[in-house]
Coordinates of all heavy atoms in Angstrom, one line a residue:
Chain B
G7 N 90.9 79.2 122.9 CA 92.2 79.8 122.8 C 92.8 79.4 121.4 O 93.5 80.2 120.7
E8 N 92.8 78.2 121.1 CA 93.4 77.6 119.8 C 92.7 78.4 118.7 O 93.3 78.9 117.7 CB 93.1 76.1 119.7 CG 93.6 75.3 120.7 CD 94.9 74.5 120.2 OE1 95.2 74.7 119.0 OE2 95.5 73.8 121.0
L9 N 91.4 78.6 118.7 CA 90.7 79.2 117.5 C 91.2 80.6 117.5 O 91.3 81.2 116.4 CB 89.3 79.2 117.8 CG 88.6 77.7 117.7 CD1 87.0 77.8 118.0 CD2 88.9 77.2 116.3
R10 N 91.2 81.3 118.7 CA 91.7 82.7 118.7 C 93.1 82.8 118.1 O 93.4 83.6 117.3 CB 91.8 83.2 120.1 CG 90.6 83.9 120.7 CD 89.8 84.5 119.7 NE 89.2 85.7 120.3 CZ 88.1 86.3 119.7 NH1 87.6 85.7 118.5 NH2 87.5 87.2 120.2
R11 N 93.9 81.9 118.5 CA 95.2 82.0 117.9 C 95.4 81.8 116.4 O 96.0 82.5 115.7 CB 96.2 80.8 118.6 CG 97.6 81.0 118.4 CD 98.5 79.9 118.8 NE 99.3 79.3 117.9 CZ 100.6 79.6 118.0 NH1 101.2 80.4 118.8 NH2 101.4 79.2 117.0
A12 N 94.5 80.8 115.9 CA 94.5 80.7 114.5 C 93.9 81.9 113.8 O 94.5 82.2 112.7 CB 93.7 79.4 114.1
A13 N 92.9 82.4 114.3 CA 92.3 83.7 113.8 C 93.3 84.7 113.7 O 93.3 85.5 112.8 CB 91.0 84.0 114.4
L14 N 94.0 84.9 114.7 CA 94.9 86.1 114.9 C 96.1 85.8 113.7 O 96.4 86.7 113.1 CB 95.6 86.0 116.2 CG 94.8 86.7 117.3 CD1 95.4 86.5 118.7 CD2 94.7 88.2 117.0
L15 N 96.5 84.5 113.6 CA 97.6 84.3 112.6 C 96.9 84.6 111.2 O 97.8 85.2 110.4 CB 98.0 82.9 112.6 CG 99.0 82.5 113.7 CD1 99.2 81.0 113.8 CD2 100.3 83.3 113.6
D16 N 95.8 84.3 110.9 CA 95.2 84.6 109.6 C 95.0 86.1 109.4 O 95.5 86.6 108.3 CB 93.7 83.9 109.5 CG 93.8 82.5 109.0 OD1 94.9 82.1 108.8 OD2 92.8 81.8 109.0
A17 N 94.5 86.8 110.3 CA 94.4 88.2 110.3 C 95.8 88.8 110.1 O 96.1 89.9 109.3 CB 93.8 88.8 111.4
A18 N 96.8 88.3 111.0 CA 98.2 88.8 110.9 C 98.7 88.7 109.5 O 99.4 89.6 108.8 CB 99.0 88.2 111.8
R19 N 98.4 87.5 108.7 CA 98.8 87.4 107.4 C 98.4 88.4 106.6 O 99.1 89.1 105.8 CB 98.4 85.9 107.0 CG 98.8 85.7 105.6 CD 98.0 84.5 104.9 NE 96.5 85.0 105.1 CZ 95.5 84.1 105.2 NH1 95.7 82.9 105.1 NH2 94.2 84.6 105.3
D20 N 97.0 88.6 106.7 CA 96.4 89.7 105.8 C 97.1 91.0 105.9 O 97.5 91.7 105.0 CB 94.9 89.7 106.0 CG 94.3 88.5 105.5 OD1 94.9 87.6 104.8 OD2 93.0 88.2 105.8
V21 N 97.2 91.4 107.1 CA 97.6 92.8 107.4 C 99.0 92.9 107.1 O 99.5 93.9 106.4 CB 97.4 93.1 108.9 CG1 97.9 94.5 109.2 CG2 95.8 93.2 109.2
F22 N 99.9 92.1 107.6 CA 101.3 92.1 107.3 C 101.6 92.0 105.8 O 102.5 92.8 105.2 CB 102.1 91.0 108.0 CG 102.4 91.3 109.4 CD1 102.2 90.3 110.4 CD2 103.1 92.3 109.6 CE1 102.4 90.6 111.7 CE2 103.3 92.7 111.0 CZ 103.1 91.7 112.1
L23 N 100.9 91.2 105.1 CA 101.1 91.1 103.7 C 100.6 92.3 102.8 O 101.1 92.6 101.7 CB 100.7 89.8 103.2 CG 101.4 88.5 103.8 CD1 101.1 87.2 103.0 CD2 102.9 88.7 103.8
E24 N 99.5 92.8 103.3 CA 99.1 94.0 102.6 C 99.9 95.2 102.8 O 100.1 96.0 101.9 CB 97.5 94.4 103.1 CG 96.5 93.4 102.5 CD 95.1 93.6 103.3 OE1 95.0 94.7 104.0 OE2 94.3 92.8 103.0
Q25 N 100.4 95.4 104.1 CA 101.0 96.8 104.5 C 102.4 96.6 104.7 O 103.1 97.6 104.6 CB 100.4 97.2 105.8 CG 98.9 96.8 105.9 CD 98.0 98.1 106.0 OE1 98.4 99.2 105.9 NE2 96.7 97.8 106.3
G26 N 103.1 95.4 104.7 CA 104.4 95.3 105.0 C 104.5 95.4 106.6 O 103.7 95.9 107.3
Y27 N 105.7 94.9 107.0 CA 105.9 94.7 108.5 C 105.8 96.1 109.2 O 104.9 96.2 110.2 CB 107.3 94.0 108.7 CG 107.6 93.9 110.2 CD1 106.9 92.9 111.0 CD2 108.2 94.9 110.9 CE1 107.4 92.8 112.3 CE2 108.6 94.8 112.3 CZ 108.1 93.8 113.0 OH 108.2 93.6 114.4
A28 N 106.5 97.1 108.8 CA 106.6 98.3 109.6 C 105.3 99.0 109.6 O 104.9 99.7 110.6 CB 107.7 99.1 109.1
R29 N 104.6 99.0 108.4 CA 103.5 99.8 108.4 C 102.2 99.1 109.1 O 101.2 99.8 109.4 CB 103.1 100.1 106.9 CG 102.1 101.2 106.6 CD 102.0 101.4 105.2 NE 103.2 101.8 104.6 CZ 103.7 103.0 104.7 NH1 103.0 103.9 105.2 NH2 104.9 103.3 104.0
A30 N 102.3 97.8 109.1 CA 101.2 97.1 109.7 C 101.0 97.4 111.2 O 102.1 97.6 111.9 CB 101.4 95.5 109.5
S31 N 99.8 97.5 111.7 CA 99.7 97.8 113.2 C 98.9 96.7 114.0 O 98.0 96.0 113.2 CB 99.0 99.1 113.4 OG 97.5 98.9 113.4
I32 N 99.2 96.3 115.0 CA 98.7 95.3 115.7 C 97.3 95.5 116.0 O 96.3 94.8 116.1 CB 99.5 95.1 117.1 CG1 100.9 94.5 116.8 CG2 98.7 94.1 118.0 CD1 101.5 93.8 117.8

Side-chain angles (χ1 to χ4, degrees):
Chain B
E8 299 255 3
L9 293 178
R10 264 335 207 200
R11 193 184 132 96
L14 282 171
L15 281 176
D16 275 0
R19 178 200 55 207
D20 292 346
V21 175
F22 277 128
L23 298 192
E24 278 169 20
Q25 327 240 4
Y27 177 81
R29 197 177 301 280
S31 87
I32 296 200

